[in-house]
Amino acid sequence: HISMGSTIELVSVRCASSICEIQAASNSAQVNEKAASEWQATLSKIASESWWQSYGFDSQNYAQSIASDGRAVFNSYFNRAAGYTP
């Protein structure tokens, strides 16, 4: 279990054979900066989790944008190693 912090909500998780996309957002526009810090801290912990290698992940990418309501949106992509088979 990974704590995402008090200012973040999980929006969606989508996985395919070679990548997983995790989308999260700040709870409000007023906490965007704190939410960004919390999300980055969460991402830094993920690669050390036992499931990271078990599920074949070997890298991650991250992008941040602002939604129409002013909240920060975090899109993270976990890439599986070439040749990974479950």
Side-chain angles (χ1 to χ4, degrees):
H1 178 262
I2 298 281
S3 172
M4 293 188 300
S6 62
T7 61
I8 300 168
E9 66 179 78
L10 186 62
V11 176
S12 68
V13 176
R14 289 181 287 231
C15 289
S17 60
S18 64
I19 193 168
C20 284
E21 176 187 19
I22 290 69
Q23 187 177 72
S26 61
N27 293 333
S28 71
Q30 291 75 26
V31 297
N32 282 351
E33 190 173 319
K34 183 175 182 187
S37 282
E38 289 179 350
W39 187 244
Q40 289 170 0
T42 299
L43 291 178
S44 70
K45 294 175 193 171
I46 285 177
S48 65
E49 290 293 314
S50 59
W51 55 263
W52 178 261
Q53 286 188 332
S54 298
Y55 287 106
F57 296 113
D58 70 349
S59 65
Q60 58 178 280
N61 299 315
Y62 162 80
Q64 181 177 332
S65 60
I66 301 295
S68 59
D69 62 1
R71 297 186 311 149
V73 177
F74 312 108
N75 290 301
S76 298
Y77 303 91
F78 300 166
N79 304 294
R80 288 197 169 101
Y84 169 77
T85 53

